[in-house]
Amino acid sequence: MNSSVLSALPTGHPAETSMGALLLDAGKLTPESAERVLRMQKDLGIRFGEAAVRLGLVSEDDIQQVLARQFSYPYLQKGQANLSPKLVAAYEPFSPQVESLRAIRSQLMLRWFARGRRALAIAGVSPEDGSSLFAANLAVVFSQLGEQTLLVDANLRGPRQSEMFGIKPRQGLSDLLAGRADLDVIARVPAFVDLSVMPAGTLPPNPQELLAREGFRNLNTQLESRYDVVLYDLPPFGSGADALAVAGRAGGVLLVAAKHRTRIANIGRMAEQMAEAGAEVIGSVVVEF
């Protein structure tokens, strides 16, 4: 997506943060291989990671991932976890696409969250516009910044986030709004300590009515008190008034358009109706798949 081993460590090394310990914890080294690395490191006076790579025990990607953990910037290698490969922010954090996502994050931090706001809705005109995928990747980059981030799948017609983050079928937003569940429906994403997801839950026969209830406003207030960033993945604007109800409660909305697909007139119409519903249109982004 584009967008505008402890025994082998010498005394004195903090086991929880050292390169060797993290490689051991990740299963990339055994205690025996770590000792080989330490010997080369001492003999040649080079860094632990460089010695491990020279010995052919780990790859440069392994070293980059450990460095990311040391600097509190988690990401995954391909094949790790059960997240969708489309989550480029999780698997390709140094790609140009994710650089663009970080630039958007910075703009949102300055133009919205710095004003004391906590919630933001992400909206697209149609299911093909890619707003759900964009919201998922944006949630990952916010969590990588160290912000306690919650992604709420508010698409009660065609939810995507459970599949995206490998969450098994469970209760979610709809069940909570219907009084059939509580905040235990929120799922932590193990690979990203600062990221949680609230699934859509049971698909209800009355999504618009559920989302328009006063209980949704109360829920948003509760979530804003618990998280630094609350992102709502809205249902497609063209599928009904659900998106307007959620955006109005969140207070702000970011519009997503697909390159060579979304019509400017449709984006303009969505922006007008979002404003009428009480949501401030923070801006728009164009994505390409």
Side-chain angles (χ1 to χ4, degrees), residues 119 150 152 173 176-178 183 186 198 210-227 230 232 245-246 248-251:
L150 174 66
V152 181
L173 175 62
L176 198 157
L177 293 176
L183 291 179
I186 295 174
M198 180 186 290
L210 272 182
L211 295 169
R213 289 178 181 176
E214 186 63 24
F216 188 88
R217 186 189 301 275
N218 298 334
L219 172 63
N220 180 64
T221 300
Q222 193 173 3
L223 296 178
E224 287 186 317
S225 70
R226 291 180 175 224
Y227 295 90
V230 181
Y232 289 100
V246 180
R249 297 292 193 265

Side-chain angles (χ1 to χ4, degrees), residues 30-287:
T30 65
E32 294 76 16
S33 61
E35 289 179 357
R36 291 175 57 199
V37 177
L38 287 168
R39 284 195 296 269
M40 175 178 279
Q41 179 187 20
K42 181 178 179 180
D43 292 343
L44 301 182
I46 59 178
R47 295 181 181 274
F48 186 94
E50 183 181 352
V53 172
R54 286 195 186 189
L55 288 168
L57 298 171
V58 299
S59 67
E60 288 287 355
D61 285 344
D62 294 328
I63 299 302
Q64 288 299 320
Q65 189 169 32
V66 169
L67 285 171
R69 290 181 61 187
Q70 288 181 317
F71 285 88
S72 301
Y73 186 67
Y75 72 95
L76 300 170
Q77 292 187 9
K78 291 182 179 180
Q80 276 189 305
N82 57 344
L83 279 63
S84 169
K86 294 181 180 180
L87 288 174
V88 291
Y91 290 105
E92 302 174 44
F94 310 114
S95 65
Q97 298 96 321
V98 183
E99 287 292 343
S100 297
L101 277 167
R102 285 193 285 268
I104 293 169
R105 179 189 65 190
S106 297
Q107 288 290 323
L108 292 173
M109 290 295 290
L110 292 171
R111 298 172 59 184
W112 184 246
F113 296 104
R115 293 160 50 187
R117 308 305 296 260
R118 296 289 183 93
L120 179 67
I122 311 295
V125 175
S126 71
E128 294 78 27
D129 286 345
S131 58
S132 293
L133 180 56
F134 176 80
N137 278 285
L138 189 63
V140 173
V141 297
F142 267 111
S143 72
Q144 289 170 329
L145 189 62
E147 299 289 315
Q148 284 290 323
T149 304
L150 174 66
L151 175 60
V152 181
D153 194 338
N155 187 348
L156 304 186
R157 299 175 186 267
R160 295 282 309 281
Q161 300 305 337
S162 289
E163 177 185 359
M164 207 82 69
F165 287 93
I167 299 172
K168 296 179 179 180
R170 57 190 291 167
Q171 291 182 308
L173 175 62
S174 64
D175 305 279
L176 198 157
L177 293 176
R180 302 172 58 239
D182 54 29
L183 291 179
D184 288 344
V185 300
I186 295 174
R188 296 292 295 270
V189 180
F192 298 93
V193 66
D194 293 315
L195 178 60
S196 300
V197 175
M198 180 186 290
T202 307
L203 297 186
N206 57 337
Q208 185 176 331
E209 289 77 13
L210 272 182
L211 295 169
R213 289 178 181 176
E214 186 63 24
F216 188 88
R217 186 189 301 275
N218 298 334
L219 172 63
N220 180 64
T221 300
Q222 193 173 3
L223 296 178
E224 287 186 317
S225 70
R226 291 180 175 224
Y227 295 90
D228 301 317
V229 173
V230 181
L231 299 177
Y232 289 100
D233 175 22
L234 302 190
F237 176 74
S239 66
D242 310 19
L244 296 175
V246 180
R249 297 292 193 265
V253 61
L254 180 67
L255 309 182
V256 178
K259 187 176 181 180
H260 303 314
R261 180 177 293 167
T262 307
R263 295 183 177 274
I264 295 177
N266 291 339
I267 284 287
R269 190 177 305 114
M270 179 167 60
E272 291 176 1
Q273 293 193 33
M274 287 291 183
E276 292 174 359
E280 181 177 344
V281 179
I282 308 305
S284 61
V285 297
V286 177
V287 299

